[in-house]
Amino acid sequence: MKNDNNVTDKQTIHGAIPSIVVLIVAFLGLVVPYVIIWGDPVAKYKIIVFVALLITSAFGVSNVRHVKDNTIKSVIYIFIGFTVFWIIGAAYTGSYLHLKILQPENTQFFKLFTSDFVPVSLFAIGNTITVLVALVDGRKNGIIFGSMGLGAIMFPIVLFGLEFVDSRPDMFLILAVLWAFMPTLWVRLLTPIINDPSSFSVEKRLFKVFKSSIPIALIYIIVGLLMCFVLMGSSTTLGTFSLSMFFEDYGNELKLFALVSGYYFILPNVILITSIFTAYEFALHAFNVRREIAHDGTFVYLTEEKKVEKKVEQFGAKKEYDPFEEIIKELKDFKKEFGKGKINRIVAAQKIGTLREQVNFLNSKYDIGSKAKAIELLKQIERESEFAFK
């Protein structure tokens, strides 16, 4: 097996190239949407450009894991995460300006969330990219990426200033927190599938994603209501505001808004996020790659190479190929790390289970080589593990 966590000079060079490409895409993602919305907010081609930028980001972001410096990696995730949700903010802002241009005196801003399916679909793509980051490079990096969801509200603020939120800094901060909370909540609620996608069938994944979408949809509905509230302008003071009268006057409209905006949110998110798990597993299978959890909790990808029985020349004699040689080395390395006390119970159990599967597979396939040595090493590790975590 070949662990791509082992860094050579060649790998370091190749690992830097995708990161540079990602940064270029992120820069374009920041500039292009602003130029389009500022110049022609009703341009029909803008959606194609936004989708292209998001898809390019999705392809590029999966390679950031090759960056070995965690600080640099986090900065890249913050930068490109902000860019992705900045593009989504541009989509919502474009719909808002389109509505204003069509009807200058229009105050029915709820149509942004109940009539326009495009912005929420782009938001679903952004949430899917967040889940993809967590799948490829761990929950922590997914949360870092998703926390940049505040970019969705930053775009109109940069374009219009605080006047977009009725000159209320408190409302801006609330909206920024809620926009950032939604993508990160996807990662938190889907952590079991992210950590071990193979243990969930397609039906279970679909149900889990749908179940997770409901509380997030409620937050999205609240965001929609707050956005409509500030866009219409608030002249109502707390002294004259009556919650019961508000629901009595607008109860039916609120129910319709909640149902339609919630449906618009749930549908694309459930479809896209469920699909990304299937696409991820397909990619691992297609490239013959297996994912494991390293000692520090990060994801490590192992390439399973076909073993070819061969003989090598050594000191004038021929040495038979030993299929257990590599697994014995891996067992010894793990035993050494385990002896230093650097591995916790969960990681140890997962690693031992993986080693056991490999030894059993080789044991059933080969009757040559250091079979007995591999089995004995595995038993020693299992005994040490039982003693250490009693």
Side-chain angles (χ1 to χ4, degrees):
M1 294 186 186
K2 181 183 178 183
N3 189 334
D4 72 355
N5 231 30
N6 296 330
V7 183
T8 63
D9 291 339
K10 184 177 179 181
Q11 286 176 317
T12 303
I13 294 172
H14 285 291
I17 294 174
S19 301
I20 295 172
V21 172
V22 166
L23 292 175
I24 293 173
V25 171
F27 176 76
L28 292 174
L30 289 173
V31 175
V32 173
Y34 188 88
V35 172
I36 292 175
I37 297 300
W38 179 264
D40 187 6
V42 299
K44 293 182 179 180
Y45 68 86
K46 69 178 184 295
I47 302 303
I48 299 174
V49 175
F50 293 169
V51 171
L53 287 170
L54 289 174
I55 292 176
T56 305
S57 299
F59 279 109
V61 79
S62 61
N63 292 306
V64 181
R65 67 181 181 86
H66 292 294
V67 178
K68 301 304 173 184
D69 189 293
N70 288 329
T71 302
I72 296 176
K73 181 188 291 187
S74 297
V75 170
I76 293 174
Y77 277 131
I78 289 172
F79 187 36
I80 192 170
F82 183 86
T83 302
V84 165
F85 292 102
W86 171 271
I87 296 169
I88 292 160
Y92 278 96
T93 305
S95 296
Y96 161 73
L97 291 174
H98 195 180
L99 193 64
K100 291 287 290 182
I101 290 171
L102 289 176
Q103 296 175 306
E105 302 302 322
N106 182 41
T107 58
Q108 296 180 326
F109 297 108
F110 62 87
K111 290 183 178 180
L112 292 173
F113 298 88
T114 58
S115 298
D116 197 344
F117 195 63
V118 172
V120 71
S121 298
L122 296 183
F123 187 33
I125 295 176
N127 290 328
T128 304
I129 297 174
T130 304
V131 174
L132 177 63
V133 171
L135 262 175
V136 171
D137 208 9
R139 178 176 178 269
K140 174 185 173 182
N141 291 314
I143 290 175
I144 290 173
F145 183 94
S147 65
M148 291 296 102
L150 56 86
I153 190 63
M154 285 302 301
F155 186 95
I157 294 299
V158 171
L159 198 65
F160 301 109
L162 284 177
E163 291 180 4
F164 183 78
V165 290
D166 198 27
S167 299
R168 294 186 57 177
D170 60 327
M171 194 60 68
F172 161 67
L173 292 175
I174 292 171
L175 286 169
V177 170
L178 291 177
W179 275 109
F181 187 55
M182 284 185 282
T184 59
L185 191 56
W186 275 116
V187 176
R188 294 178 186 277
L189 293 178
L190 295 178
T191 295
I193 311 180
I194 290 169
N195 286 343
D196 191 10
S198 61
S199 64
F200 288 80
S201 64
V202 175
E203 294 81 6
K204 287 183 178 179
R205 286 180 202 160
L206 180 60
F207 177 76
K208 180 67 175 176
V209 173
F210 176 75
K211 183 180 177 182
S212 301
S213 71
I214 295 174
I216 304 175
L218 294 176
I219 299 172
Y220 181 74
I221 292 168
I222 293 172
V223 168
L225 290 172
L226 290 176
M227 290 284 288
C228 293
F229 180 72
V230 296
L231 289 175
M232 287 187 292
S234 173
S235 59
T236 305
T237 63
L238 291 177
T240 61
F241 180 77
S242 171
L243 189 63
S244 60
M245 184 179 296
F246 177 77
F247 280 105
E248 183 178 342
D249 293 341
Y250 300 102
N252 292 330
E253 289 83 354
L254 287 172
K255 289 177 184 177
L256 181 62
F257 178 87
L259 287 173
V260 176
S261 60
Y263 169 74
Y264 272 24
F265 178 86
I266 290 173
L267 182 62
N269 276 277
V270 170
I271 293 173
L272 291 175
I273 292 176
T274 303
S275 299
I276 202 64
F277 286 108
T278 304
Y280 175 75
E281 283 209 317
F282 175 79
L284 291 182
H285 178 74
F287 293 101
N288 201 28
V289 173
R290 176 167 50 86
R291 189 188 74 177
E292 289 186 1
I293 301 178
H295 307 322
D296 58 358
T298 58
F299 291 157
V300 177
Y301 291 85
L302 304 175
T303 303
E304 297 180 350
E305 299 175 344
K306 292 183 179 180
K307 306 292 191 301
V308 180
E309 293 190 12
K310 56 184 178 180
K311 296 181 180 181
V312 294
E313 296 287 339
Q314 188 175 13
F315 304 112
K318 291 184 177 180
K319 181 182 176 182
E320 289 189 358
Y321 166 65
D322 187 354
F324 292 88
E325 183 177 356
E326 191 171 346
I327 191 63
I328 287 174
K329 182 179 181 303
E330 196 171 344
L331 286 164
K332 287 181 178 179
D333 290 342
F334 177 77
K335 191 172 185 294
K336 183 179 179 181
E337 291 295 318
F338 185 77
K340 294 179 181 179
K342 296 181 178 180
I343 306 175
N344 61 42
R345 179 192 295 269
I346 297 175
V347 174
Q350 291 174 336
K351 185 63 176 179
I352 291 172
T354 302
L355 292 171
R356 187 185 300 113
E357 289 178 2
Q358 294 174 9
V359 171
N360 290 340
F361 172 75
L362 293 173
N363 188 29
S364 64
K365 189 174 181 181
Y366 298 102
D367 289 322
I368 61 173
S370 310
K371 178 192 291 189
K373 186 175 180 181
I375 295 173
E376 180 59 30
L377 266 173
L378 178 62
K379 288 181 179 179
Q380 289 178 15
I381 291 172
E382 289 175 335
R383 285 195 296 269
E384 291 178 9
S385 174
E386 291 176 3
F387 178 77
F389 297 118
K390 275 187 177 180

